[in-house]
Amino acid sequence: MSELGGRTLAVVLSARSRLRRDWNDDGTEVDNDLPHISALSLHEAVLDVFAEEGYHWASAQVVHSCIPDTEQHDGFYESFVLADRASAPGRLEQLEVVFQMNVVGAVIHVRRAAPDVLSWDTKPRSRRFSAARHEVVQGDWRPRVRRVLEELVLLEALRGYDRPLLNLNA
């Protein structure tokens, strides 16, 4: 996707057309189009709730990798970095919100953003919730988003201990 809520995501996609007379001809470039691909309504609905909570889009990328220990049909996932504009105490400065799409909708993983860390296993621990496509119209993700934000604050409080005091992934 290249747009979210009508705003560009700074992702440049292009389609190039060439005209050839036969297979041996290198062809002549005819056109270079920049398609605009909007986010799925599921992405927009969930990210709108994060925006209501003070976390707004900062960057996005498609990561060609798999999330360990999950059922993943595609070899990629979509990752959004959200920045905290509320700047209240006890909040994370940046979040990474990952959409792992499936046949029903998506599993949404949320964690403290660590843009320089590439491997899923070495990134900060995440919390997750599910969102189905049929919930876009009548679904309310606000309680789920607030729950994961509260759980992330707890994870941050536990960060630095050699062993976890609570099993928050259960």
Side-chain angles (χ1 to χ4, degrees):
M1 86 188 74
S2 62
E3 294 179 356
L4 177 65
R7 298 177 314 260
T8 182
L9 292 176
V11 175
V12 178
L13 303 172
S14 66
R16 184 178 297 172
S17 301
R18 284 190 171 276
L19 207 53
R20 291 193 212 182
R21 287 176 280 200
D22 59 39
W23 287 108
N24 296 325
D25 183 14
D26 286 339
T28 303
E29 190 169 307
V30 177
D31 199 6
N32 195 12
D33 297 311
L34 298 173
H36 297 278
I37 301 171
S38 296
L40 297 173
S41 54
L42 176 67
H43 289 72
E44 290 202 16
V46 171
L47 291 173
D48 282 349
V49 175
F50 278 100
E52 290 170 12
E53 294 295 322
Y55 288 97
H56 296 270
W57 174 82
S59 66
Q61 66 178 339
V62 175
V63 179
H64 293 280
S65 182
C66 290
I67 298 172
D69 303 320
T70 64
E71 184 179 332
Q72 188 169 346
H73 300 283
D74 299 319
F76 64 90
Y77 56 85
E78 298 158 294
S79 175
F80 295 83
V81 173
L82 308 179
D84 178 23
R85 291 197 185 153
S87 300
R91 291 172 53 96
L92 300 173
E93 284 184 34
Q94 288 188 327
L95 299 175
E96 179 182 12
V97 178
V98 173
F99 287 82
Q100 182 183 15
M101 302 307 290
N102 59 38
V103 295
V104 176
V107 175
I108 300 161
H109 303 264
V110 185
R111 66 165 138 230
R112 177 176 47 85
D116 296 335
V117 180
L118 301 178
S119 170
W120 185 273
D121 290 333
T122 56
K123 286 182 176 265
R125 292 176 62 189
S126 68
R127 302 303 302 142
R128 65 179 172 231
F129 64 93
S130 297
R133 286 183 186 89
H134 71 270
E135 294 179 293
V136 169
V137 176
Q138 79 276 10
D140 183 11
W141 288 293
R142 191 167 287 103
R144 295 180 226 180
V145 168
R146 285 184 178 159
R147 187 188 79 239
V148 297
L149 291 175
E150 290 167 1
E151 291 172 355
L152 286 174
V153 169
L154 287 174
L155 283 176
E156 284 300 300
L158 295 174
R159 214 172 87 186
Y161 286 97
D162 290 331
R163 57 189 165 82
L165 300 176
L166 299 171
N167 184 359
L168 295 177
N169 280 333

